Amino acid sequence: MIAFTAKKALLDRIAKAEGEEGWTLPAFSTPPADIAAFSLEYGLHPAFVNLLIAIGGIDLGFWRQVIEGLPSGADSRLLVTRWIGWLWTDPEHGLRSKIADEKLKAGGDLILDLQERAASGEDISKSQWRSARSALANAATSDEVETAAAAGAAAAGWDLESVPGAAADMIYAWKGTFFAEIDRDLGWNDEKEAAANQRREKIHSAGLAYADSDAARSEASAAEGAAKDEASMARYREQYQKGVQDYVAANPSDLDRRDELRNASYLEMYRLGREGLLRQIGQLGDGRPESAVA
Amino acid sequence: MANVEAATDDTFEEKVLNAKTPVLVDFTAEWCGPCKAMAPAIEDLAREYEGEVAIYLLDIDANPKTRHAQGIMGVPTFLIFNHGEVTGRFTGSMSRSKLAAALESAIEESK
């Protein structure tokens, strides 16, 4: 549980990171032992820190919002369980709402039930977790959206004490759900996939051709030297992008819609994930620091 | 990576192709950020399936022969072998559960 002094210390650390010191908080490539040490230092559960890394990335504003919102004495492990519950059951955005198959729904419900029992102190055995995950994996459906949504529940089917990254794993499957919905809505199929791949190659070639012709023009009047090389590389990248943009503008295609929608879905997913976590924190209390150490 | 052994061009046949149990090979590279992000998951899987599945890391830059032989085009790539045959191939970041489901199928098939 996060104590008042630890919360203050962590907010100080975030303030330093916002200043000249730069990023000193855990990130996606931080080794588990370092995440565990960071968690211990600030009284946070490693599963909570893993989730914060996954949905907060290096957005210091979000880190600050989360830590400021945590009431002293907050049980951050419980928050992770509640976030898992939110992502599974939220009527509007929850993964369960995307599933019609009763077996898959029951499989996801069982994972959430195990998480809630574990959070309340019950000892859930490895075989119970494994069996719950297997039930979901074996409940086959041909619907890609349902499969991806069920994978989200399966991703959370681990003991958070020994596998603290499990809740953060739900993000992969959540992304898969967004992508599957986009493909369904666009009627995406193998034919469109092949056409999109061909188009990507053409776009890439157009970018290269434009940049190469610009580079050839520049070389004729170029001075030698490393500084010139760096500047040339930057210009080459810039001209490549211009070639790409010109080609896309001159040759519009609905095939590009998939990538546009995927990029937008990423942003939406992280926005929702952050809102979901802040909502769980908001429900714990008013977030004002207390003087007593819980 | 702690708790996960490395395989090399020299040991691949013995450790992977001739293994009696299913094997998961994580094809990785020093410079690969997503590989580092997947490292905790691979360690967790090694603990979860200890004795049932062997898990190895293989650095594609240090082991080009195996990289070419297995057709590795990007990292991270995860191959599951059962009695020397590839029974699962996954590329990119993914959840522990996705790899776990494939490993459990391989364990069942190997019985």
Side-chain angles (χ1 to χ4, degrees), chain B residues 5-16 25 27 56-60 62-67:
Chain B
E5 272 187 57
T8 65
D9 281 348
D10 292 339
T11 63
F12 192 79
E13 184 172 350
E14 177 207 337
K15 285 183 168 176
V16 178
V25 183
F27 290 85
Y56 297 106
L57 299 173
L58 190 134
D59 184 324
I60 58 161
N63 299 283
K65 187 177 142 197
T66 308
R67 181 185 71 200

Side-chain angles (χ1 to χ4, degrees), chain A residues 34-278:
Chain A
D34 294 347
I35 291 177
F38 176 89
S39 305
L40 190 63
E41 184 176 353
Y42 296 106
L44 297 169
H45 194 280
F48 182 78
V49 175
N50 272 283
L51 184 59
L52 199 45
I53 292 168
I55 61 175
I58 56 168
D59 180 346
L60 282 167
F62 180 69
W63 277 74
R64 171 173 288 286
Q65 211 176 347
V66 166
I67 304 303
E68 279 180 344
L70 277 180
S72 298
D75 179 350
S76 58
R77 186 199 191 286
L78 182 63
L79 279 171
V80 177
T81 305
R82 289 186 178 171
W83 186 85
I84 291 170
W86 164 79
L87 182 51
W88 177 242
T89 61
D90 185 78
E92 195 180 350
H93 305 292
L95 297 172
R96 194 180 196 278
S97 70
K98 300 175 189 306
I99 296 175
D101 184 287
E102 291 302 326
K103 274 189 181 172
L104 289 177
K105 278 186 186 174
D109 291 344
L110 174 59
I111 299 266
L112 181 58
D113 179 55
L114 292 177
Q115 282 294 358
E116 286 173 345
R117 284 158 54 193
S120 67
E122 190 177 331
D123 187 21
I124 309 293
S125 69
K126 249 186 182 185
S127 63
Q128 281 175 286
W129 288 115
R130 196 185 281 199
S131 153
R133 291 194 307 269
S134 294
L136 271 177
N138 295 328
T141 167
S142 58
D143 186 294
E144 304 257 337
V145 175
E146 289 196 22
T147 302
W158 301 82
D159 176 6
L160 294 180
E161 297 303 325
S162 55
V163 184
D169 265 11
M170 290 180 85
I171 303 279
Y172 296 121
W174 195 11
K175 183 188 77 178
T177 309
F178 275 101
F179 284 11
E181 284 179 321
I182 290 167
D183 284 357
R184 180 195 59 198
D185 296 347
L186 292 176
W188 201 259
N189 53 27
D190 290 347
E191 200 180 315
K192 286 187 179 177
E193 178 78 30
N197 286 338
Q198 277 183 353
R199 178 168 168 80
R200 272 190 212 103
E201 282 174 25
K202 282 183 184 167
I203 290 172
H204 177 57
S205 299
L208 286 179
Y210 193 89
D212 285 342
S213 64
D214 176 73
R217 282 195 302 273
S218 302
E219 249 175 49
S221 59
E224 296 296 325
K228 179 68 188 171
D229 285 348
E230 275 181 33
S232 300
M233 284 302 292
R235 179 165 175 86
Y236 190 89
R237 283 193 292 270
E238 207 175 87
Q239 294 302 301
Y240 172 85
Q241 284 305 327
K242 179 155 180 17
V244 164
Q245 284 161 7
D246 287 353
Y247 181 89
V248 170
N251 303 277
S253 168
D254 284 346
L255 292 169
D256 296 341
R257 186 85 184 114
R258 188 198 202 201
D259 286 343
E260 289 163 15
L261 290 170
R262 282 184 164 202
N263 290 338
S265 75
Y266 263 124
L267 298 176
E268 178 67 355
M269 182 182 79
Y270 285 107
R271 185 187 70 76
L272 289 172
R274 291 173 178 199
E275 267 184 21
L277 183 59
L278 291 171

